mmCIF file of all heavy atoms in Angstrom:
data_model
loop_
_atom_site.group_PDB
_atom_site.id
_atom_site.type_symbol
_atom_site.label_atom_id
_atom_site.label_comp_id
_atom_site.label_asym_id
_atom_site.label_seq_id
_atom_site.Cartn_x
_atom_site.Cartn_y
_atom_site.Cartn_z
ATOM 1 N N TYR D 1 65.348 -22.394 -8.999
ATOM 2 C CA TYR D 1 65.655 -21.065 -8.493
ATOM 3 C C TYR D 1 66.055 -20.090 -9.589
ATOM 4 O O TYR D 1 65.750 -18.895 -9.488
ATOM 5 C CB TYR D 1 66.798 -21.131 -7.471
ATOM 6 C CG TYR D 1 66.540 -21.991 -6.253
ATOM 7 C CD1 TYR D 1 67.579 -22.343 -5.401
ATOM 8 C CD2 TYR D 1 65.256 -22.466 -5.949
ATOM 9 C CE1 TYR D 1 67.368 -23.122 -4.282
ATOM 10 C CE2 TYR D 1 65.040 -23.262 -4.832
ATOM 11 C CZ TYR D 1 66.091 -23.591 -4.004
ATOM 12 O OH TYR D 1 65.887 -24.371 -2.902
ATOM 13 N N ASP D 2 66.753 -20.605 -10.634
ATOM 14 C CA ASP D 2 67.299 -19.619 -11.579
ATOM 15 C C ASP D 2 67.551 -20.137 -12.989
ATOM 16 O O ASP D 2 68.112 -19.406 -13.811
ATOM 17 C CB ASP D 2 68.600 -19.030 -11.025
ATOM 18 C CG ASP D 2 69.743 -20.030 -10.943
ATOM 19 O OD1 ASP D 2 69.508 -21.241 -11.131
ATOM 20 O OD2 ASP D 2 70.886 -19.599 -10.686
ATOM 21 N N ARG D 3 67.186 -21.374 -13.308
ATOM 22 C CA ARG D 3 67.362 -21.812 -14.689
ATOM 23 C C ARG D 3 66.294 -21.144 -15.540
ATOM 24 O O ARG D 3 65.100 -21.281 -15.258
ATOM 25 C CB ARG D 3 67.287 -23.334 -14.808
ATOM 26 C CG ARG D 3 68.009 -23.871 -16.037
ATOM 27 C CD ARG D 3 67.984 -25.372 -16.100
ATOM 28 N NE ARG D 3 66.880 -25.857 -16.914
ATOM 29 C CZ ARG D 3 66.562 -27.145 -17.061
ATOM 30 N NH1 ARG D 3 67.257 -28.071 -16.406
ATOM 31 N NH2 ARG D 3 65.556 -27.506 -17.831
ATOM 32 N N THR D 4 66.700 -20.445 -16.557
ATOM 33 C CA THR D 4 65.800 -19.550 -17.282
ATOM 34 C C THR D 4 64.559 -20.252 -17.793
ATOM 35 O O THR D 4 63.430 -19.768 -17.597
ATOM 36 C CB THR D 4 66.555 -18.891 -18.454
ATOM 37 O OG1 THR D 4 67.666 -18.153 -17.928
ATOM 38 C CG2 THR D 4 65.653 -17.942 -19.215
ATOM 39 N N ASP D 5 64.717 -21.406 -18.439
ATOM 40 C CA ASP D 5 63.549 -22.084 -19.005
ATOM 41 C C ASP D 5 62.640 -22.645 -17.918
ATOM 42 O O ASP D 5 61.407 -22.638 -18.053
ATOM 43 C CB ASP D 5 63.978 -23.190 -19.972
ATOM 44 C CG ASP D 5 64.838 -24.263 -19.318
ATOM 45 O OD1 ASP D 5 65.576 -23.961 -18.370
ATOM 46 O OD2 ASP D 5 64.768 -25.424 -19.774
ATOM 47 N N VAL D 6 63.225 -23.088 -16.807
ATOM 48 C CA VAL D 6 62.422 -23.639 -15.715
ATOM 49 C C VAL D 6 61.625 -22.535 -15.021
ATOM 50 O O VAL D 6 60.431 -22.690 -14.743
ATOM 51 C CB VAL D 6 63.317 -24.383 -14.705
ATOM 52 C CG1 VAL D 6 62.506 -24.836 -13.495
ATOM 53 C CG2 VAL D 6 63.983 -25.573 -15.378
ATOM 54 N N VAL D 7 62.286 -21.409 -14.740
ATOM 55 C CA VAL D 7 61.572 -20.285 -14.129
ATOM 56 C C VAL D 7 60.437 -19.820 -15.039
ATOM 57 O O VAL D 7 59.318 -19.566 -14.577
ATOM 58 C CB VAL D 7 62.545 -19.125 -13.833
ATOM 59 C CG1 VAL D 7 61.774 -17.880 -13.377
ATOM 60 C CG2 VAL D 7 63.552 -19.529 -12.761
ATOM 61 N N ALA D 8 60.704 -19.736 -16.338
ATOM 62 C CA ALA D 8 59.672 -19.292 -17.279
ATOM 63 C C ALA D 8 58.489 -20.249 -17.288
ATOM 64 O O ALA D 8 57.316 -19.823 -17.286
ATOM 65 C CB ALA D 8 60.258 -19.168 -18.682
ATOM 66 N N THR D 9 58.758 -21.553 -17.282
ATOM 67 C CA THR D 9 57.677 -22.540 -17.265
ATOM 68 C C THR D 9 56.875 -22.447 -15.977
ATOM 69 O O THR D 9 55.640 -22.496 -15.991
ATOM 70 C CB THR D 9 58.257 -23.953 -17.431
ATOM 71 O OG1 THR D 9 58.908 -24.049 -18.695
ATOM 72 C CG2 THR D 9 57.168 -25.009 -17.355
ATOM 73 N N ALA D 10 57.580 -22.324 -14.846
ATOM 74 C CA ALA D 10 56.884 -22.208 -13.560
ATOM 75 C C ALA D 10 56.026 -20.949 -13.519
ATOM 76 O O ALA D 10 54.870 -20.988 -13.067
ATOM 77 C CB ALA D 10 57.899 -22.207 -12.417
ATOM 78 N N VAL D 11 56.570 -19.830 -13.994
ATOM 79 C CA VAL D 11 55.818 -18.575 -13.968
ATOM 80 C C VAL D 11 54.607 -18.659 -14.901
ATOM 81 O O VAL D 11 53.520 -18.166 -14.568
ATOM 82 C CB VAL D 11 56.729 -17.387 -14.330
ATOM 83 C CG1 VAL D 11 55.910 -16.107 -14.533
ATOM 84 C CG2 VAL D 11 57.759 -17.174 -13.231
ATOM 85 N N ASP D 12 54.751 -19.296 -16.049
ATOM 86 C CA ASP D 12 53.597 -19.488 -16.929
ATOM 87 C C ASP D 12 52.477 -20.225 -16.191
ATOM 88 O O ASP D 12 51.301 -19.844 -16.286
ATOM 89 C CB ASP D 12 53.997 -20.293 -18.168
ATOM 90 C CG ASP D 12 54.772 -19.479 -19.190
ATOM 91 O OD1 ASP D 12 54.789 -18.233 -19.079
ATOM 92 O OD2 ASP D 12 55.370 -20.091 -20.093
ATOM 93 N N SER D 13 52.832 -21.267 -15.470
ATOM 94 C CA SER D 13 51.840 -22.028 -14.721
ATOM 95 C C SER D 13 51.220 -21.196 -13.606
ATOM 96 O O SER D 13 50.006 -21.255 -13.367
ATOM 97 C CB SER D 13 52.482 -23.290 -14.129
ATOM 98 O OG SER D 13 52.856 -24.186 -15.142
ATOM 99 N N ILE D 14 52.052 -20.423 -12.927
ATOM 100 C CA ILE D 14 51.553 -19.581 -11.834
ATOM 101 C C ILE D 14 50.567 -18.547 -12.367
ATOM 102 O O ILE D 14 49.485 -18.352 -11.800
ATOM 103 C CB ILE D 14 52.726 -18.897 -11.106
ATOM 104 C CG1 ILE D 14 53.600 -19.943 -10.400
ATOM 105 C CG2 ILE D 14 52.213 -17.869 -10.099
ATOM 106 C CD1 ILE D 14 54.958 -19.420 -9.981
ATOM 107 N N VAL D 15 50.932 -17.886 -13.453
ATOM 108 C CA VAL D 15 50.056 -16.856 -14.026
ATOM 109 C C VAL D 15 48.726 -17.462 -14.455
ATOM 110 O O VAL D 15 47.656 -16.898 -14.186
ATOM 111 C CB VAL D 15 50.757 -16.153 -15.201
ATOM 112 C CG1 VAL D 15 49.780 -15.265 -15.971
ATOM 113 C CG2 VAL D 15 51.925 -15.319 -14.687
ATOM 114 N N GLU D 16 48.786 -18.611 -15.122
ATOM 115 C CA GLU D 16 47.537 -19.244 -15.538
ATOM 116 C C GLU D 16 46.677 -19.601 -14.327
ATOM 117 O O GLU D 16 45.460 -19.420 -14.334
ATOM 118 C CB GLU D 16 47.822 -20.487 -16.370
ATOM 119 C CG GLU D 16 46.552 -21.148 -16.891
ATOM 120 C CD GLU D 16 46.814 -22.230 -17.917
ATOM 121 O OE1 GLU D 16 47.948 -22.320 -18.414
ATOM 122 O OE2 GLU D 16 45.864 -22.983 -18.209
ATOM 123 N N HIS D 17 47.312 -20.103 -13.293
ATOM 124 C CA HIS D 17 46.592 -20.457 -12.068
ATOM 125 C C HIS D 17 45.938 -19.234 -11.429
ATOM 126 O O HIS D 17 44.757 -19.266 -11.050
ATOM 127 C CB HIS D 17 47.567 -21.110 -11.089
ATOM 128 C CG HIS D 17 47.027 -21.355 -9.717
ATOM 129 N ND1 HIS D 17 45.974 -22.210 -9.455
ATOM 130 C CD2 HIS D 17 47.411 -20.850 -8.504
ATOM 131 C CE1 HIS D 17 45.725 -22.233 -8.161
ATOM 132 N NE2 HIS D 17 46.584 -21.411 -7.555
ATOM 133 N N LEU D 18 46.694 -18.147 -11.322
ATOM 134 C CA LEU D 18 46.160 -16.960 -10.652
ATOM 135 C C LEU D 18 45.083 -16.271 -11.479
ATOM 136 O O LEU D 18 44.179 -15.631 -10.924
ATOM 137 C CB LEU D 18 47.297 -15.983 -10.346
ATOM 138 C CG LEU D 18 48.399 -16.508 -9.414
ATOM 139 C CD1 LEU D 18 49.419 -15.421 -9.135
ATOM 140 C CD2 LEU D 18 47.824 -17.059 -8.115
ATOM 141 N N GLN D 19 45.154 -16.395 -12.780
ATOM 142 C CA GLN D 19 44.174 -15.739 -13.652
ATOM 143 C C GLN D 19 42.943 -16.595 -13.915
ATOM 144 O O GLN D 19 41.944 -16.083 -14.431
ATOM 145 C CB GLN D 19 44.823 -15.362 -14.979
ATOM 146 C CG GLN D 19 45.863 -14.252 -14.849
ATOM 147 C CD GLN D 19 46.499 -13.882 -16.174
ATOM 148 O OE1 GLN D 19 46.490 -14.664 -17.127
ATOM 149 N NE2 GLN D 19 47.067 -12.696 -16.231
ATOM 150 N N ARG D 20 43.008 -17.866 -13.564
ATOM 151 C CA ARG D 20 41.861 -18.745 -13.785
ATOM 152 C C ARG D 20 40.700 -18.328 -12.886
ATOM 153 O O ARG D 20 40.887 -18.103 -11.692
ATOM 154 C CB ARG D 20 42.253 -20.199 -13.497
ATOM 155 C CG ARG D 20 41.144 -21.215 -13.745
ATOM 156 C CD ARG D 20 41.605 -22.628 -13.399
ATOM 157 N NE ARG D 20 42.661 -23.057 -14.293
ATOM 158 C CZ ARG D 20 43.890 -23.359 -13.897
ATOM 159 N NH1 ARG D 20 44.220 -23.239 -12.623
ATOM 160 N NH2 ARG D 20 44.791 -23.762 -14.755
ATOM 161 N N PRO D 21 39.473 -18.218 -13.431
ATOM 162 C CA PRO D 21 38.329 -17.862 -12.583
ATOM 163 C C PRO D 21 38.197 -18.845 -11.430
ATOM 164 O O PRO D 21 38.361 -20.050 -11.600
ATOM 165 C CB PRO D 21 37.140 -17.968 -13.543
ATOM 166 C CG PRO D 21 37.723 -17.743 -14.892
ATOM 167 C CD PRO D 21 39.099 -18.354 -14.842
ATOM 168 N N GLN D 22 37.937 -18.299 -10.269
ATOM 169 C CA GLN D 22 37.860 -19.125 -9.070
ATOM 170 C C GLN D 22 36.494 -19.763 -8.952
ATOM 171 O O GLN D 22 35.468 -19.089 -8.994
ATOM 172 C CB GLN D 22 38.164 -18.279 -7.821
ATOM 173 C CG GLN D 22 38.301 -19.084 -6.544
ATOM 174 C CD GLN D 22 38.970 -18.278 -5.445
ATOM 175 O OE1 GLN D 22 39.771 -17.390 -5.717
ATOM 176 N NE2 GLN D 22 38.650 -18.585 -4.206
ATOM 177 N N CYS D 23 36.479 -21.091 -8.807
ATOM 178 C CA CYS D 23 35.215 -21.807 -8.636
ATOM 179 C C CYS D 23 34.727 -21.645 -7.204
ATOM 180 O O CYS D 23 35.505 -21.397 -6.292
ATOM 181 C CB CYS D 23 35.404 -23.289 -8.934
ATOM 182 S SG CYS D 23 35.895 -23.632 -10.626
ATOM 183 N N PRO D 24 33.418 -21.807 -6.957
ATOM 184 C CA PRO D 24 32.926 -21.782 -5.586
ATOM 185 C C PRO D 24 33.612 -22.859 -4.754
ATOM 186 O O PRO D 24 34.035 -23.907 -5.273
ATOM 187 C CB PRO D 24 31.424 -22.074 -5.746
ATOM 188 C CG PRO D 24 31.109 -21.695 -7.157
ATOM 189 C CD PRO D 24 32.353 -21.990 -7.944
ATOM 190 N N ALA D 25 33.710 -22.608 -3.472
ATOM 191 C CA ALA D 25 34.445 -23.518 -2.599
ATOM 192 C C ALA D 25 33.863 -24.922 -2.601
ATOM 193 O O ALA D 25 34.558 -25.903 -2.358
ATOM 194 C CB ALA D 25 34.474 -22.966 -1.169
ATOM 195 N N THR D 26 32.559 -25.051 -2.861
ATOM 196 C CA THR D 26 31.921 -26.354 -2.803
ATOM 197 C C THR D 26 32.000 -27.109 -4.122
ATOM 198 O O THR D 26 31.566 -28.236 -4.226
ATOM 199 C CB THR D 26 30.436 -26.194 -2.438
ATOM 200 O OG1 THR D 26 29.812 -25.325 -3.398
ATOM 201 C CG2 THR D 26 30.280 -25.620 -1.055
ATOM 202 N N SER D 27 32.578 -26.471 -5.159
ATOM 203 C CA SER D 27 32.629 -27.092 -6.475
ATOM 204 C C SER D 27 33.576 -28.281 -6.493
ATOM 205 O O SER D 27 34.592 -28.296 -5.823
ATOM 206 C CB SER D 27 33.078 -26.068 -7.522
ATOM 207 O OG SER D 27 33.291 -26.682 -8.758
ATOM 208 N N ARG D 28 33.231 -29.285 -7.278
ATOM 209 C CA ARG D 28 34.113 -30.420 -7.498
ATOM 210 C C ARG D 28 34.329 -30.634 -8.994
ATOM 211 O O ARG D 28 34.536 -31.731 -9.459
ATOM 212 C CB ARG D 28 33.532 -31.695 -6.864
ATOM 213 C CG ARG D 28 33.558 -31.665 -5.325
ATOM 214 C CD ARG D 28 34.985 -31.632 -4.805
ATOM 215 N NE ARG D 28 35.044 -31.626 -3.360
ATOM 216 C CZ ARG D 28 35.109 -30.546 -2.625
ATOM 217 N NH1 ARG D 28 35.089 -29.353 -3.199
ATOM 218 N NH2 ARG D 28 35.190 -30.617 -1.317
ATOM 219 N N LEU D 29 34.243 -29.549 -9.769
ATOM 220 C CA LEU D 29 34.483 -29.636 -11.197
ATOM 221 C C LEU D 29 35.972 -29.777 -11.460
ATOM 222 O O LEU D 29 36.784 -29.215 -10.733
ATOM 223 C CB LEU D 29 33.950 -28.383 -11.907
ATOM 224 C CG LEU D 29 32.435 -28.141 -11.790
ATOM 225 C CD1 LEU D 29 32.091 -26.806 -12.422
ATOM 226 C CD2 LEU D 29 31.672 -29.269 -12.463
ATOM 227 N N PRO D 30 36.356 -30.528 -12.502
ATOM 228 C CA PRO D 30 37.789 -30.657 -12.801
ATOM 229 C C PRO D 30 38.377 -29.369 -13.320
ATOM 230 O O PRO D 30 37.706 -28.601 -14.002
ATOM 231 C CB PRO D 30 37.816 -31.754 -13.873
ATOM 232 C CG PRO D 30 36.478 -31.654 -14.532
ATOM 233 C CD PRO D 30 35.515 -31.269 -13.436
ATOM 234 N N ILE D 31 39.649 -29.117 -12.986
ATOM 235 C CA ILE D 31 40.385 -27.977 -13.507
ATOM 236 C C ILE D 31 41.154 -28.439 -14.729
ATOM 237 O O ILE D 31 41.819 -29.474 -14.694
ATOM 238 C CB ILE D 31 41.365 -27.431 -12.454
ATOM 239 C CG1 ILE D 31 40.582 -26.975 -11.213
ATOM 240 C CG2 ILE D 31 42.200 -26.299 -13.003
ATOM 241 C CD1 ILE D 31 41.476 -26.554 -10.086
ATOM 242 N N PRO D 32 41.117 -27.715 -15.851
ATOM 243 C CA PRO D 32 41.860 -28.139 -17.034
ATOM 244 C C PRO D 32 43.347 -28.231 -16.750
ATOM 245 O O PRO D 32 43.900 -27.463 -15.970
ATOM 246 C CB PRO D 32 41.575 -27.017 -18.053
ATOM 247 C CG PRO D 32 40.334 -26.359 -17.555
ATOM 248 C CD PRO D 32 40.368 -26.487 -16.066
ATOM 249 N N SER D 33 44.014 -29.206 -17.390
ATOM 250 C CA SER D 33 45.463 -29.327 -17.233
ATOM 251 C C SER D 33 46.141 -28.117 -17.841
ATOM 252 O O SER D 33 45.620 -27.482 -18.756
ATOM 253 C CB SER D 33 45.967 -30.607 -17.896
ATOM 254 O OG SER D 33 45.699 -30.575 -19.271
ATOM 255 N N LEU D 34 47.342 -27.798 -17.346
ATOM 256 C CA LEU D 34 48.025 -26.584 -17.764
ATOM 257 C C LEU D 34 48.576 -26.687 -19.173
ATOM 258 O O LEU D 34 48.512 -25.757 -19.953
ATOM 259 C CB LEU D 34 49.160 -26.274 -16.786
ATOM 260 C CG LEU D 34 48.673 -25.899 -15.387
ATOM 261 C CD1 LEU D 34 49.838 -25.842 -14.429
ATOM 262 C CD2 LEU D 34 47.960 -24.567 -15.430
ATOM 263 N N ASP D 35 49.194 -27.809 -19.503
ATOM 264 C CA ASP D 35 49.718 -28.007 -20.843
ATOM 265 C C ASP D 35 50.072 -29.465 -21.008
ATOM 266 O O ASP D 35 49.921 -30.268 -20.102
ATOM 267 C CB ASP D 35 50.927 -27.117 -21.141
ATOM 268 C CG ASP D 35 52.058 -27.328 -20.162
ATOM 269 O OD1 ASP D 35 52.447 -28.496 -19.954
ATOM 270 O OD2 ASP D 35 52.560 -26.332 -19.625
ATOM 271 N N SER D 36 50.571 -29.827 -22.173
ATOM 272 C CA SER D 36 50.920 -31.212 -22.439
ATOM 273 C C SER D 36 52.420 -31.434 -22.475
ATOM 274 O O SER D 36 52.887 -32.509 -22.818
ATOM 275 C CB SER D 36 50.306 -31.654 -23.777
ATOM 276 O OG SER D 36 50.787 -30.815 -24.815
ATOM 277 N N SER D 37 53.195 -30.402 -22.109
ATOM 278 C CA SER D 37 54.646 -30.533 -22.190
ATOM 279 C C SER D 37 55.247 -31.158 -20.952
ATOM 280 O O SER D 37 56.411 -31.495 -20.923
ATOM 281 C CB SER D 37 55.282 -29.150 -22.402
ATOM 282 O OG SER D 37 55.032 -28.324 -21.287
ATOM 283 N N ALA D 38 54.445 -31.281 -19.895
ATOM 284 C CA ALA D 38 54.912 -31.909 -18.665
ATOM 285 C C ALA D 38 53.731 -32.607 -18.037
ATOM 286 O O ALA D 38 52.598 -32.420 -18.441
ATOM 287 C CB ALA D 38 55.483 -30.851 -17.702
ATOM 288 N N GLN D 39 54.006 -33.439 -17.035
ATOM 289 C CA GLN D 39 52.914 -34.098 -16.339
ATOM 290 C C GLN D 39 52.104 -33.060 -15.589
ATOM 291 O O GLN D 39 52.629 -32.342 -14.753
ATOM 292 C CB GLN D 39 53.472 -35.119 -15.342
ATOM 293 C CG GLN D 39 54.286 -36.228 -15.986
ATOM 294 C CD GLN D 39 54.809 -37.158 -14.927
ATOM 295 O OE1 GLN D 39 54.052 -37.668 -14.102
ATOM 296 N NE2 GLN D 39 56.110 -37.385 -14.935
ATOM 297 N N SER D 40 50.811 -32.964 -15.887
ATOM 298 C CA SER D 40 49.957 -31.990 -15.235
ATOM 299 C C SER D 40 48.674 -32.661 -14.800
ATOM 300 O O SER D 40 48.202 -33.590 -15.446
ATOM 301 C CB SER D 40 49.622 -30.824 -16.170
ATOM 302 O OG SER D 40 50.789 -30.179 -16.610
ATOM 303 N N MET D 41 48.087 -32.164 -13.729
ATOM 304 C CA MET D 41 46.824 -32.713 -13.287
ATOM 305 C C MET D 41 46.064 -31.638 -12.563
ATOM 306 O O MET D 41 46.623 -30.882 -11.778
ATOM 307 C CB MET D 41 47.045 -33.904 -12.356
ATOM 308 C CG MET D 41 45.753 -34.548 -11.869
ATOM 309 S SD MET D 41 46.060 -35.754 -10.577
ATOM 310 C CE MET D 41 46.608 -34.680 -9.275
ATOM 311 N N GLY D 42 44.763 -31.555 -12.820
ATOM 312 C CA GLY D 42 43.931 -30.625 -12.083
ATOM 313 C C GLY D 42 42.874 -31.386 -11.322
ATOM 314 O O GLY D 42 42.411 -32.434 -11.751
ATOM 315 N N ARG D 43 42.461 -30.854 -10.194
ATOM 316 C CA ARG D 43 41.385 -31.494 -9.446
ATOM 317 C C ARG D 43 40.777 -30.514 -8.471
ATOM 318 O O ARG D 43 41.386 -29.534 -8.079
ATOM 319 C CB ARG D 43 41.897 -32.703 -8.695
ATOM 320 C CG ARG D 43 42.801 -32.353 -7.504
ATOM 321 C CD ARG D 43 43.038 -33.575 -6.653
ATOM 322 N NE ARG D 43 43.983 -33.337 -5.591
ATOM 323 C CZ ARG D 43 43.680 -32.780 -4.418
ATOM 324 N NH1 ARG D 43 42.461 -32.366 -4.187
ATOM 325 N NH2 ARG D 43 44.597 -32.603 -3.487
ATOM 326 N N HIS D 44 39.569 -30.792 -8.060
ATOM 327 C CA HIS D 44 38.963 -30.202 -6.886
ATOM 328 C C HIS D 44 38.639 -31.393 -5.976
ATOM 329 O O HIS D 44 38.049 -32.362 -6.412
ATOM 330 C CB HIS D 44 37.672 -29.460 -7.216
ATOM 331 C CG HIS D 44 37.914 -28.092 -7.759
ATOM 332 N ND1 HIS D 44 37.362 -26.969 -7.201
ATOM 333 C CD2 HIS D 44 38.655 -27.638 -8.790
ATOM 334 C CE1 HIS D 44 37.723 -25.899 -7.887
ATOM 335 N NE2 HIS D 44 38.509 -26.283 -8.850
#
C-alpha cells in the first residue's frame, strides 16, 4: 500500500504491462519477463 520501494516496483511493472503492445486475442506467444530482480513469469 505505501512502502516506497514496493510501490515503485509495482508501478514499474504496471507501466511496462500497459505500454506493451497488445497481442491478438488468439495469440499464444510468450510474454517477456519483467525483470530478473524478482520471480516473474509471462504467458498467454
Side-chain angles (χ1 to χ4, degrees):
Y1 300 167
D2 67 350
R3 204 177 95 185
T4 300
D5 60 330
V6 174
V7 172
T9 298
V11 171
D12 284 346
S13 293
I14 294 164
V15 170
E16 183 170 347
H17 172 64
L18 299 183
Q19 292 180 339
R20 182 182 294 118
Q22 188 164 331
C23 297
T26 57
S27 173
R28 290 296 181 267
L29 298 174
I31 299 174
S33 62
L34 293 170
D35 58 51
S36 59
S37 64
Q39 299 179 53
S40 301
M41 181 189 68
R43 71 169 174 83
H44 279 235

